[in-house]
Coordinates of all heavy atoms in Angstrom, one line a residue:
G212 N -3.8 -3.6 23.8 CA -5.0 -2.8 24.0 C -5.3 -1.8 22.9 O -6.5 -1.6 22.7
A213 N -4.3 -1.2 22.3 CA -4.6 -0.2 21.3 C -5.0 -0.9 20.0 O -4.5 -2.0 19.6 CB -3.3 0.6 21.0
P214 N -5.9 -0.3 19.2 CA -6.3 -0.9 18.0 C -5.2 -0.7 16.9 O -4.4 0.2 17.0 CB -7.5 0.0 17.6 CG -7.3 1.3 18.3 CD -6.6 0.9 19.5
F215 N -5.2 -1.6 16.0 CA -4.2 -1.6 14.9 C -4.8 -1.1 13.6 O -6.0 -1.5 13.3 CB -3.6 -3.0 14.6 CG -2.6 -3.5 15.6 CD1 -3.0 -3.9 16.9 CD2 -1.3 -3.5 15.3 CE1 -2.1 -4.4 17.8 CE2 -0.3 -3.9 16.2 CZ -0.7 -4.4 17.4
D216 N -4.1 -0.2 12.9 CA -4.5 0.1 11.6 C -3.4 -0.2 10.7 O -2.4 0.5 10.6 CB -4.9 1.6 11.5 CG -5.2 2.1 10.1 OD1 -5.5 1.3 9.2 OD2 -5.1 3.3 9.9
L217 N -3.5 -1.3 10.0 CA -2.5 -1.7 9.0 C -2.8 -1.0 7.7 O -3.9 -1.0 7.2 CB -2.5 -3.2 8.8 CG -2.2 -4.1 10.1 CD1 -2.1 -5.5 9.8 CD2 -0.9 -3.6 10.8
D218 N -1.7 -0.5 7.1 CA -1.9 0.2 5.8 C -1.1 -0.4 4.7 O 0.0 -0.9 4.9 CB -1.4 1.7 6.0 CG -2.3 2.5 6.8 OD1 -3.5 2.3 6.8 OD2 -1.8 3.3 7.6
A219 N -1.7 -0.5 3.5 CA -1.1 -1.0 2.4 C -0.6 0.1 1.5 O -1.3 1.1 1.4 CB -2.0 -1.9 1.6
S220 N 0.6 0.0 1.0 CA 1.1 1.0 0.1 C 2.0 0.4 -0.9 O 2.4 -0.8 -0.8 CB 1.8 2.2 0.8 OG 2.8 1.6 1.6
C221 N 2.4 1.1 -1.9 CA 3.4 0.6 -2.9 C 4.2 1.7 -3.5 O 3.8 2.9 -3.5 CB 2.8 -0.3 -3.9 SG 1.9 0.5 -5.2
L222 N 5.4 1.3 -4.0 CA 6.2 2.3 -4.7 C 6.5 1.8 -6.1 O 6.8 0.6 -6.3 CB 7.6 2.4 -4.0 CG 7.5 2.9 -2.5 CD1 7.9 1.9 -1.5 CD2 8.2 4.2 -2.4
A223 N 6.4 2.6 -7.1 CA 6.7 2.3 -8.5 C 8.1 2.8 -8.7 O 8.4 4.0 -8.5 CB 5.7 3.0 -9.4
L224 N 9.1 1.9 -9.0 CA 10.5 2.3 -9.1 C 11.0 2.1 -10.5 O 10.6 1.2 -11.2 CB 11.3 1.4 -8.1 CG 10.8 1.5 -6.7 CD1 11.6 0.5 -5.8 CD2 10.9 2.9 -6.1
D225 N 12.1 2.9 -10.8 CA 12.7 2.7 -12.1 C 13.8 1.7 -12.0 O 14.0 1.0 -11.0 CB 13.3 4.1 -12.6 CG 14.3 4.7 -11.7 OD1 14.9 3.9 -10.9 OD2 14.6 5.9 -11.9
V226 N 14.6 1.5 -13.1 CA 15.6 0.5 -13.1 C 16.7 0.7 -12.1 O 17.4 -0.2 -11.7 CB 16.3 0.3 -14.5 CG1 15.3 -0.2 -15.5 CG2 16.9 1.6 -15.0
N227 N 16.9 1.9 -11.6 CA 17.9 2.2 -10.6 C 17.3 2.1 -9.1 O 18.0 2.4 -8.2 CB 18.4 3.6 -10.8 CG 19.2 3.8 -12.1 OD1 20.0 2.9 -12.4 ND2 18.8 4.8 -12.9
G228 N 16.0 1.7 -9.0 CA 15.4 1.6 -7.7 C 14.9 2.9 -7.1 O 14.7 3.0 -5.9
H229 N 14.7 3.9 -8.0 CA 14.2 5.2 -7.5 C 12.8 5.5 -8.0 O 12.5 5.1 -9.2 CB 15.1 6.3 -8.0 CG 16.5 6.2 -7.5 ND1 17.6 6.0 -8.4 CD2 17.1 6.2 -6.3 CE1 18.7 5.9 -7.7 NE2 18.4 6.0 -6.4
A230 N 12.0 6.1 -7.2 CA 10.7 6.6 -7.7 C 11.0 7.8 -8.6 O 11.9 8.6 -8.3 CB 9.9 7.0 -6.5
R231 N 10.2 7.9 -9.6 CA 10.3 9.1 -10.6 C 10.0 10.4 -9.9 O 10.5 11.4 -10.2 CB 9.5 8.8 -11.8 CG 9.9 7.6 -12.6 CD 8.9 7.3 -13.7 NE 7.6 7.1 -13.2 CZ 6.5 7.3 -13.9 NH1 6.6 7.6 -15.1 NH2 5.3 7.1 -13.3
S232 N 9.0 10.3 -9.0 CA 8.6 11.5 -8.2 C 7.8 11.0 -7.0 O 7.5 9.8 -6.9 CB 7.7 12.4 -9.1 OG 6.4 11.8 -9.2
E233 N 7.4 11.9 -6.2 CA 6.6 11.5 -5.0 C 5.2 10.9 -5.4 O 4.6 10.1 -4.6 CB 6.4 12.6 -4.0 CG 5.6 13.8 -4.6 CD 5.5 15.0 -3.7 OE1 6.5 15.2 -2.9 OE2 4.4 15.6 -3.7
R234 N 4.8 11.1 -6.6 CA 3.5 10.6 -7.1 C 3.6 9.0 -7.2 O 2.6 8.4 -7.3 CB 3.1 11.2 -8.4 CG 2.8 12.7 -8.4 CD 1.5 13.1 -7.8 NE 0.4 12.4 -8.5 CZ -0.7 12.1 -7.9 NH1 -1.0 12.5 -6.7 NH2 -1.7 11.5 -8.5
D235 N 4.8 8.5 -7.3 CA 5.0 7.1 -7.4 C 5.0 6.3 -6.1 O 5.4 5.2 -6.0 CB 6.2 6.7 -8.3 CG 6.0 7.0 -9.7 OD1 4.8 7.0 -10.2 OD2 7.0 7.1 -10.5
F236 N 4.7 7.0 -5.0 CA 4.5 6.4 -3.7 C 3.0 6.4 -3.5 O 2.4 7.5 -3.3 CB 5.2 7.2 -2.6 CG 4.8 6.6 -1.2 CD1 4.8 5.3 -0.9 CD2 4.6 7.5 -0.2 CE1 4.5 4.8 0.3 CE2 4.3 7.0 1.1 CZ 4.2 5.7 1.4
I237 N 2.3 5.3 -3.7 CA 0.9 5.2 -3.7 C 0.4 4.6 -2.3 O 0.8 3.6 -1.9 CB 0.4 4.2 -4.8 CG1 0.8 4.8 -6.2 CG2 -1.1 4.1 -4.8 CD1 2.2 4.4 -6.7
F238 N -0.5 5.4 -1.7 CA -1.0 5.0 -0.4 C -2.3 5.8 -0.2 O -2.9 6.4 -1.1 CB 0.0 5.4 0.7 CG 0.3 6.8 0.9 CD1 -0.1 7.5 2.1 CD2 0.9 7.6 0.0 CE1 0.1 8.8 2.3 CE2 1.2 8.9 0.1 CZ 0.8 9.6 1.3
Y239 N -2.9 5.7 1.0 CA -4.3 6.2 1.2 C -4.4 7.7 1.0 O -5.4 8.2 0.7 CB -4.8 5.9 2.7 CG -3.9 6.4 3.8 CD1 -4.1 7.7 4.3 CD2 -2.9 5.6 4.3 CE1 -3.3 8.2 5.3 CE2 -2.1 6.1 5.4 CZ -2.3 7.4 5.8 OH -1.5 7.9 6.8
N240 N -3.2 8.5 1.1 CA -3.3 9.9 0.8 C -2.8 10.3 -0.6 O -2.9 11.5 -0.9 CB -2.4 10.6 1.8 CG -3.2 11.4 2.9 OD1 -4.4 11.4 2.8 ND2 -2.6 12.0 3.8
N241 N -2.4 9.3 -1.3 CA -2.0 9.5 -2.8 C -2.5 8.3 -3.5 O -1.7 7.3 -3.6 CB -0.5 9.7 -2.9 CG -0.1 9.9 -4.4 OD1 -0.9 10.5 -5.2 ND2 1.0 9.3 -4.8
Q242 N -3.7 8.3 -3.9 CA -4.4 7.0 -4.3 C -4.1 6.6 -5.8 O -4.5 5.5 -6.1 CB -5.9 7.1 -4.0 CG -6.1 7.1 -2.5 CD -7.6 7.1 -2.2 OE1 -8.4 7.6 -2.9 NE2 -7.9 6.5 -1.1
V243 N -3.6 7.5 -6.6 CA -3.3 7.2 -8.0 C -1.9 7.5 -8.3 O -1.4 8.6 -8.0 CB -4.3 7.9 -8.9 CG1 -4.0 7.6 -10.4 CG2 -5.7 7.6 -8.6
G244 N -1.2 6.6 -8.9 CA 0.2 6.8 -9.3 C 0.6 6.1 -10.5 O -0.3 5.5 -11.2
A245 N 1.8 6.2 -10.9 CA 2.4 5.6 -12.1 C 1.5 6.0 -13.3 O 1.1 5.1 -14.1 CB 2.6 4.1 -12.0
D246 N 1.2 7.2 -13.5 CA 0.4 7.7 -14.6 C -1.0 7.1 -14.7 O -1.5 6.8 -15.8 CB 1.2 7.5 -15.9 CG 2.5 8.3 -15.9 OD1 2.6 9.3 -15.2 OD2 3.5 7.8 -16.5
G247 N -1.6 6.7 -13.6 CA -2.9 6.1 -13.5 C -2.9 4.6 -13.6 O -4.0 4.0 -13.5
A248 N -1.8 4.0 -13.7 CA -1.8 2.5 -13.8 C -1.9 1.8 -12.5 O -2.1 0.6 -12.4 CB -0.5 2.1 -14.5
I249 N -1.7 2.6 -11.4 CA -1.8 2.0 -10.0 C -2.8 2.9 -9.3 O -2.8 4.1 -9.3 CB -0.4 2.1 -9.3 CG1 0.6 1.3 -10.0 CG2 -0.6 1.5 -7.9 CD1 2.0 1.4 -9.4
Q250 N -3.7 2.1 -8.6 CA -4.8 2.8 -7.8 C -5.0 2.2 -6.5 O -5.2 1.0 -6.4 CB -6.1 2.8 -8.6 CG -7.2 3.5 -7.8 CD -8.5 3.5 -8.6 OE1 -8.7 2.8 -9.6 NE2 -9.5 4.2 -8.0
H251 N -4.9 2.9 -5.4 CA -5.2 2.5 -4.0 C -6.7 2.8 -3.8 O -7.1 3.9 -4.1 CB -4.3 3.3 -3.0 CG -4.4 2.8 -1.6 ND1 -5.5 2.8 -0.9 CD2 -3.4 2.2 -0.9 CE1 -5.3 2.3 0.3 NE2 -4.0 1.9 0.4
I252 N -7.5 1.8 -3.4 CA -8.9 2.0 -3.3 C -9.4 2.7 -2.0 O -10.6 2.9 -1.8 CB -9.7 0.8 -3.6 CG1 -9.4 -0.3 -2.6 CG2 -9.4 0.3 -5.0 CD1 -10.5 -1.4 -2.6
G253 N -8.5 3.0 -1.1 CA -8.9 3.7 0.1 C -8.4 3.0 1.4 O -8.1 1.8 1.4
D254 N -8.5 3.7 2.5 CA -8.0 3.3 3.8 C -9.2 2.7 4.6 O -10.2 3.3 4.7 CB -7.4 4.5 4.5 CG -6.7 4.1 5.8 OD1 -6.4 2.9 6.0 OD2 -6.4 5.0 6.6
N255 N -9.0 1.5 5.1 CA -9.9 0.8 6.0 C -9.3 0.9 7.4 O -8.4 0.2 7.7 CB -10.2 -0.6 5.6 CG -11.1 -1.3 6.5 OD1 -11.3 -0.9 7.7 ND2 -11.8 -2.3 6.0
R256 N -9.8 1.9 8.2 CA -9.1 2.2 9.5 C -9.4 1.1 10.6 O -8.6 1.0 11.5 CB -9.6 3.5 10.0 CG -9.3 4.7 9.1 CD -7.9 5.2 9.1 NE -7.2 5.4 10.3 CZ -7.1 6.5 11.0 NH1 -7.6 7.6 10.5 NH2 -6.4 6.6 12.1
D257 N -10.5 0.4 10.5 CA -10.8 -0.5 11.6 C -10.9 -2.0 11.2 O -11.1 -2.8 12.1 CB -12.2 -0.1 12.2 CG -13.3 -0.1 11.2 OD1 -13.2 -0.7 10.1 OD2 -14.3 0.5 11.6
G258 N -10.7 -2.4 9.9 CA -10.7 -3.8 9.5 C -12.1 -4.4 9.5 O -12.2 -5.6 9.3
V259 N -13.1 -3.6 9.7 CA -14.5 -4.2 9.7 C -14.9 -4.4 8.3 O -14.6 -3.6 7.4 CB -15.4 -3.2 10.4 CG1 -16.9 -3.7 10.3 CG2 -15.0 -3.1 11.9
G260 N -15.6 -5.5 8.1 CA -16.2 -5.8 6.7 C -15.6 -7.1 6.2 O -14.6 -7.6 6.7
D261 N -16.2 -7.6 5.1 CA -15.7 -8.8 4.5 C -14.7 -8.4 3.4 O -14.6 -7.3 2.9 CB -16.9 -9.5 3.8 CG -17.9 -10.0 4.8 OD1 -17.5 -10.3 6.0 OD2 -19.1 -10.2 4.5
G262 N -13.9 -9.4 3.1 CA -12.9 -9.3 2.0 C -11.7 -8.6 2.5 O -11.4 -8.4 3.7
D263 N -10.8 -8.2 1.5 CA -9.6 -7.5 1.8 C -9.8 -6.1 2.4 O -10.7 -5.4 1.8 CB -8.7 -7.5 0.6 CG -8.3 -8.9 0.1 OD1 -8.2 -9.8 0.9 OD2 -8.2 -9.0 -1.2
D264 N -9.1 -5.7 3.4 CA -9.3 -4.4 4.0 C -8.9 -3.3 3.1 O -9.5 -2.3 3.1 CB -8.6 -4.3 5.4 CG -9.3 -5.2 6.4 OD1 -10.4 -5.6 6.2 OD2 -8.6 -5.5 7.4
E265 N -7.7 -3.5 2.5 CA -7.2 -2.4 1.5 C -6.8 -3.1 0.3 O -6.2 -4.2 0.3 CB -6.1 -1.6 2.2 CG -6.6 -0.8 3.4 CD -5.5 0.1 4.0 OE1 -4.5 0.4 3.3 OE2 -5.8 0.6 5.1
Q266 N -7.0 -2.4 -0.8 CA -6.6 -3.0 -2.1 C -5.8 -2.0 -2.9 O -6.1 -0.8 -2.9 CB -7.8 -3.5 -2.9 CG -8.5 -4.6 -2.3 CD -9.7 -5.0 -3.1 OE1 -9.7 -4.9 -4.3 NE2 -10.7 -5.6 -2.5
I267 N -4.8 -2.5 -3.6 CA -4.1 -1.7 -4.6 C -4.2 -2.4 -5.9 O -3.9 -3.6 -6.1 CB -2.6 -1.5 -4.2 CG1 -2.5 -0.8 -2.9 CG2 -1.8 -0.8 -5.3 CD1 -1.1 -0.8 -2.3
L268 N -4.8 -1.7 -6.9 CA -5.1 -2.3 -8.2 C -4.0 -1.8 -9.2 O -3.6 -0.6 -9.2 CB -6.4 -1.8 -8.7 CG -7.6 -2.1 -7.8 CD1 -8.9 -1.5 -8.3 CD2 -7.8 -3.5 -7.4
L269 N -3.5 -2.7 -10.0 CA -2.5 -2.4 -11.0 C -3.1 -2.8 -12.4 O -3.7 -3.8 -12.6 CB -1.2 -3.2 -10.8 CG -0.3 -2.7 -9.7 CD1 -0.8 -3.2 -8.4 CD2 1.1 -3.3 -9.9
N270 N -2.8 -1.9 -13.4 CA -3.1 -2.2 -14.8 C -1.7 -2.3 -15.4 O -1.2 -1.2 -15.9 CB -4.0 -1.1 -15.4 CG -4.3 -1.3 -16.8 OD1 -3.7 -2.2 -17.5 ND2 -5.2 -0.5 -17.3
L271 N -1.2 -3.5 -15.5 CA 0.2 -3.6 -16.0 C 0.3 -3.2 -17.5 O 1.4 -2.7 -17.9 CB 0.6 -5.1 -15.9 CG 0.7 -5.5 -14.4 CD1 1.1 -7.0 -14.3 CD2 1.7 -4.7 -13.6
S272 N -0.7 -3.4 -18.3 CA -0.6 -2.9 -19.7 C -0.6 -1.4 -19.8 O -0.1 -0.9 -20.8 CB -1.8 -3.5 -20.5 OG -3.0 -3.0 -20.1
A273 N -1.0 -0.7 -18.8 CA -0.9 0.8 -18.8 C 0.3 1.3 -18.1 O 0.5 2.5 -18.0 CB -2.2 1.4 -18.3
M274 N 1.1 0.4 -17.5 CA 2.2 0.9 -16.7 C 3.3 1.6 -17.6 O 3.6 1.1 -18.6 CB 2.9 -0.4 -16.0 CG 3.8 0.0 -14.9 SD 3.0 0.7 -13.4 CE 1.9 -0.7 -13.0
P275 N 3.8 2.7 -17.1 CA 4.8 3.4 -17.9 C 6.0 2.5 -18.1 O 6.4 1.8 -17.2 CB 5.1 4.6 -17.1 CG 3.9 4.8 -16.2 CD 3.4 3.5 -16.0
A276 N 6.7 2.6 -19.2 CA 7.9 1.8 -19.5 C 9.0 2.1 -18.5 O 9.8 1.2 -18.2 CB 8.3 2.1 -20.9
E277 N 9.0 3.3 -17.9 CA 10.1 3.6 -16.9 C 10.0 2.9 -15.6 O 10.9 2.8 -14.8 CB 10.1 5.1 -16.6 CG 10.3 6.0 -17.8 CD 9.0 6.3 -18.6 OE1 7.9 6.1 -18.1 OE2 9.1 6.7 -19.8
V278 N 8.8 2.3 -15.3 CA 8.6 1.5 -14.1 C 9.1 0.1 -14.3 O 8.6 -0.6 -15.1 CB 7.1 1.5 -13.7 CG1 6.9 0.6 -12.5 CG2 6.6 2.9 -13.4
A279 N 10.2 -0.2 -13.6 CA 10.8 -1.5 -13.7 C 10.4 -2.4 -12.6 O 10.5 -3.7 -12.7 CB 12.3 -1.3 -13.7
R280 N 10.0 -1.9 -11.5 CA 9.7 -2.7 -10.3 C 8.6 -2.0 -9.4 O 8.6 -0.8 -9.4 CB 11.0 -2.9 -9.5 CG 11.0 -3.2 -8.2 CD 12.4 -3.3 -7.6 NE 13.4 -3.4 -8.5 CZ 14.7 -3.0 -8.4 NH1 15.0 -2.5 -7.2 NH2 15.6 -3.1 -9.3
I281 N 7.8 -2.8 -8.8 CA 6.8 -2.3 -7.9 C 7.0 -3.0 -6.5 O 7.0 -4.3 -6.5 CB 5.3 -2.6 -8.4 CG1 5.2 -1.9 -9.7 CG2 4.3 -2.1 -7.4 CD1 3.9 -2.3 -10.5
V282 N 7.1 -2.2 -5.5 CA 7.4 -2.8 -4.1 C 6.1 -2.5 -3.3 O 5.6 -1.4 -3.2 CB 8.6 -2.1 -3.5 CG1 8.8 -2.5 -2.0 CG2 9.8 -2.3 -4.3
F283 N 5.6 -3.6 -2.7 CA 4.4 -3.5 -1.8 C 4.9 -3.5 -0.4 O 5.8 -4.2 0.0 CB 3.5 -4.7 -2.1 CG 2.9 -4.7 -3.5 CD1 3.5 -5.3 -4.5 CD2 1.7 -4.0 -3.7 CE1 3.0 -5.3 -5.8 CE2 1.2 -3.9 -5.0 CZ 1.8 -4.6 -6.0
V284 N 4.2 -2.7 0.4 CA 4.6 -2.4 1.8 C 3.3 -2.5 2.7 O 2.3 -2.0 2.3 CB 5.2 -1.0 2.0 CG1 5.6 -0.8 3.4 CG2 6.4 -0.9 1.0
A285 N 3.5 -3.1 3.8 CA 2.5 -3.1 4.9 C 3.1 -2.4 6.1 O 4.3 -2.6 6.5 CB 2.0 -4.5 5.3
S286 N 2.4 -1.4 6.6 CA 2.9 -0.7 7.8 C 1.8 -0.5 8.8 O 0.6 -0.7 8.5 CB 3.4 0.7 7.3 OG 2.4 1.5 6.7
I287 N 2.2 -0.1 10.0 CA 1.2 0.1 11.1 C 1.1 1.6 11.3 O 2.1 2.2 11.6 CB 1.7 -0.6 12.4 CG1 1.9 -2.1 12.2 CG2 0.7 -0.3 13.5 CD1 2.5 -2.8 13.4
F288 N -0.1 2.1 11.1 CA -0.3 3.6 11.3 C -0.1 3.9 12.8 O -0.6 3.3 13.7 CB -1.7 3.9 10.9 CG -2.1 5.3 11.0 CD1 -1.6 6.3 10.1 CD2 -2.9 5.8 12.0 CE1 -1.9 7.6 10.2 CE2 -3.2 7.2 12.1 CZ -2.7 8.1 11.2
E289 N 0.8 5.0 13.0 CA 1.1 5.5 14.3 C 1.7 4.4 15.2 O 1.4 4.4 16.4 CB -0.1 6.2 14.9 CG -0.5 7.4 14.2 CD -1.6 8.2 14.9 OE1 -2.2 7.7 15.8 OE2 -1.8 9.4 14.5
A290 N 2.5 3.5 14.7 CA 3.1 2.5 15.4 C 4.0 3.0 16.6 O 3.9 2.5 17.7 CB 4.0 1.6 14.5
D291 N 4.7 4.1 16.3 CA 5.6 4.6 17.4 C 4.8 5.2 18.5 O 5.1 5.1 19.7 CB 6.5 5.7 16.8 CG 7.6 5.1 15.9 OD1 7.9 3.9 16.0 OD2 8.2 5.9 15.1
T292 N 3.7 5.9 18.1 CA 2.8 6.6 19.1 C 2.3 5.6 20.1 O 2.2 5.8 21.3 CB 1.7 7.3 18.5 OG1 2.2 8.3 17.6 CG2 0.8 8.0 19.5
Y293 N 1.8 4.4 19.6 CA 1.1 3.4 20.4 C 2.0 2.3 20.8 O 1.6 1.3 21.4 CB -0.2 2.9 19.8 CG -1.2 4.0 19.6 CD1 -1.4 4.6 18.3 CD2 -1.9 4.5 20.7 CE1 -2.4 5.6 18.2 CE2 -2.8 5.5 20.5 CZ -3.1 6.1 19.3 OH -4.0 7.1 19.1
R294 N 3.3 2.4 20.4 CA 4.3 1.3 20.7 C 3.8 0.0 20.2 O 3.8 -1.0 20.9 CB 4.6 1.3 22.2 CG 5.1 2.6 22.7 CD 5.4 2.6 24.2 NE 6.6 1.7 24.3 CZ 7.3 1.6 25.4 NH1 7.0 2.2 26.5 NH2 8.3 0.8 25.4
L295 N 3.5 -0.1 18.9 CA 3.0 -1.3 18.2 C 4.1 -1.8 17.3 O 4.9 -1.0 16.8 CB 1.7 -0.9 17.4 CG 0.6 -0.3 18.2 CD1 -0.5 0.1 17.2 CD2 0.0 -1.3 19.2
N296 N 4.1 -3.1 17.1 CA 5.0 -3.7 16.1 C 4.3 -4.9 15.5 O 3.3 -5.4 16.0 CB 6.3 -4.0 16.8 CG 6.2 -5.1 17.9 OD1 5.9 -6.2 17.7 ND2 6.5 -4.6 19.1
F297 N 4.9 -5.5 14.5 CA 4.4 -6.6 13.8 C 4.4 -7.9 14.6 O 3.7 -8.8 14.3 CB 5.0 -6.8 12.4 CG 4.3 -5.9 11.4 CD1 4.9 -4.7 11.0 CD2 3.2 -6.3 10.8 CE1 4.3 -3.9 10.1 CE2 2.6 -5.5 9.8 CZ 3.1 -4.3 9.5
G298 N 5.2 -7.9 15.6 CA 5.2 -9.1 16.5 C 3.9 -9.2 17.3 O 3.5 -10.3 17.8
Q299 N 3.1 -8.1 17.3 CA 1.8 -8.1 18.0 C 0.6 -8.4 17.1 O -0.5 -8.4 17.5 CB 1.6 -6.8 18.7 CG 2.7 -6.5 19.8 CD 2.7 -5.0 20.1 OE1 2.8 -4.1 19.3 NE2 2.5 -4.7 21.4
V300 N 0.9 -8.5 15.8 CA -0.1 -8.7 14.8 C -0.3 -10.2 14.5 O 0.7 -10.9 14.3 CB 0.3 -7.9 13.5 CG1 -0.7 -8.2 12.4 CG2 0.4 -6.5 13.8
S301 N -1.5 -10.6 14.3 CA -1.8 -12.0 13.9 C -2.7 -12.0 12.7 O -3.5 -11.0 12.6 CB -2.3 -12.8 15.0 OG -3.6 -12.3 15.4
D302 N -2.6 -12.9 11.8 CA -3.5 -13.1 10.7 C -3.4 -12.0 9.7 O -4.4 -11.9 8.9 CB -4.9 -13.4 11.2 CG -5.1 -14.6 12.0 OD1 -4.3 -15.6 11.8 OD2 -5.9 -14.6 12.9
A303 N -2.4 -11.2 9.6 CA -2.2 -10.2 8.6 C -1.6 -10.9 7.4 O -0.8 -11.8 7.5 CB -1.4 -9.0 9.0
Y304 N -1.9 -10.4 6.2 CA -1.3 -11.0 5.0 C -1.4 -10.0 3.8 O -2.2 -9.1 3.8 CB -2.0 -12.3 4.6 CG -3.5 -12.1 4.3 CD1 -3.9 -11.8 3.0 CD2 -4.4 -12.2 5.3 CE1 -5.3 -11.6 2.7 CE2 -5.8 -12.0 5.0 CZ -6.2 -11.7 3.7 OH -7.5 -11.5 3.4
I305 N -0.5 -10.2 2.9 CA -0.6 -9.5 1.6 C -0.8 -10.6 0.5 O -0.1 -11.6 0.6 CB 0.7 -8.7 1.3 CG1 0.8 -7.5 2.3 CG2 0.7 -8.2 -0.1 CD1 2.1 -6.7 2.1
R306 N -1.7 -10.4 -0.3 CA -1.8 -11.4 -1.4 C -1.9 -10.7 -2.7 O -2.3 -9.5 -2.8 CB -3.1 -12.3 -1.2 CG -4.4 -11.6 -1.4 CD -5.5 -12.5 -1.1 NE -6.8 -11.8 -1.3 CZ -7.8 -12.3 -1.9 NH1 -7.8 -13.5 -2.4 NH2 -8.9 -11.7 -2.0
V307 N -1.4 -11.4 -3.7 CA -1.3 -10.8 -5.1 C -2.2 -11.8 -5.9 O -1.9 -13.0 -5.9 CB 0.1 -10.7 -5.6 CG1 0.1 -10.2 -7.0 CG2 1.0 -9.9 -4.7
I308 N -3.1 -11.2 -6.6 CA -4.0 -12.0 -7.5 C -4.1 -11.4 -8.9 O -4.0 -10.2 -9.0 CB -5.4 -12.2 -6.9 CG1 -6.1 -10.9 -6.7 CG2 -5.3 -12.9 -5.5 CD1 -7.6 -11.1 -6.4
D309 N -4.4 -12.2 -9.8 CA -4.7 -11.8 -11.2 C -6.2 -11.7 -11.2 O -6.9 -12.7 -11.1 CB -4.2 -12.7 -12.2 CG -4.4 -12.3 -13.6 OD1 -5.3 -11.5 -13.9 OD2 -3.8 -12.8 -14.5
A310 N -6.8 -10.5 -11.3 CA -8.3 -10.4 -11.3 C -9.0 -11.1 -12.4 O -10.2 -11.4 -12.3 CB -8.6 -8.9 -11.3
D311 N -8.3 -11.4 -13.5 CA -8.9 -12.1 -14.6 C -9.1 -13.5 -14.2 O -9.9 -14.3 -14.7 CB -8.1 -12.0 -15.9 CG -8.2 -10.6 -16.4 OD1 -9.1 -9.8 -16.1 OD2 -7.2 -10.2 -17.2

């Protein structure tokens, strides 16, 4: 019965698997990270509209040399509050494309 708000986020990590700072956790409340090479384009709270609901753009040529890995995450906003889990989600996906 409760609506789902799936959120996309990512972490820019160094060779030891650590973020250099909290700025390297990119999500709807911190939309630019990794020195501007990663940009979250905003939160879609209701999934209405055509195309991908949320996008994270990467400019790999501008990525700082210290970033060795990027981890992409999908989470459910307020999952604990509404007792939601991914077993209740259908047709969700993450895709990676080369915009060129």
Side-chain angles (χ1 to χ4, degrees):
F215 282 77
D216 176 19
L217 300 181
D218 290 321
S220 57
C221 74
L222 297 117
L224 306 176
D225 63 18
V226 295
N227 297 312
H229 300 118
R231 298 171 303 155
S232 75
E233 65 184 34
R234 298 283 306 154
D235 283 339
F236 175 44
I237 298 90
F238 66 111
Y239 60 86
N240 253 356
N241 178 39
Q242 294 184 327
V243 178
D246 302 327
I249 302 174
Q250 180 183 6
H251 190 293
I252 62 160
D254 191 14
N255 181 333
R256 302 285 313 262
D257 58 16
V259 173
D261 292 332
D263 297 326
D264 289 344
E265 295 186 16
Q266 295 180 27
I267 299 173
L268 308 176
L269 283 78
N270 181 347
L271 295 178
S272 63
M274 195 68 60
E277 299 85 16
V278 175
R280 155 182 347 151
I281 300 167
V282 176
F283 294 92
V284 178
S286 59
I287 302 171
F288 182 72
E289 296 187 344
D291 290 340
T292 300
Y293 296 108
R294 303 182 68 171
L295 305 171
N296 64 65
F297 276 97
Q299 299 165 306
V300 176
S301 62
D302 298 328
Y304 60 90
I305 293 176
R306 69 183 179 137
V307 178
I308 62 168
D309 182 342
D311 289 338

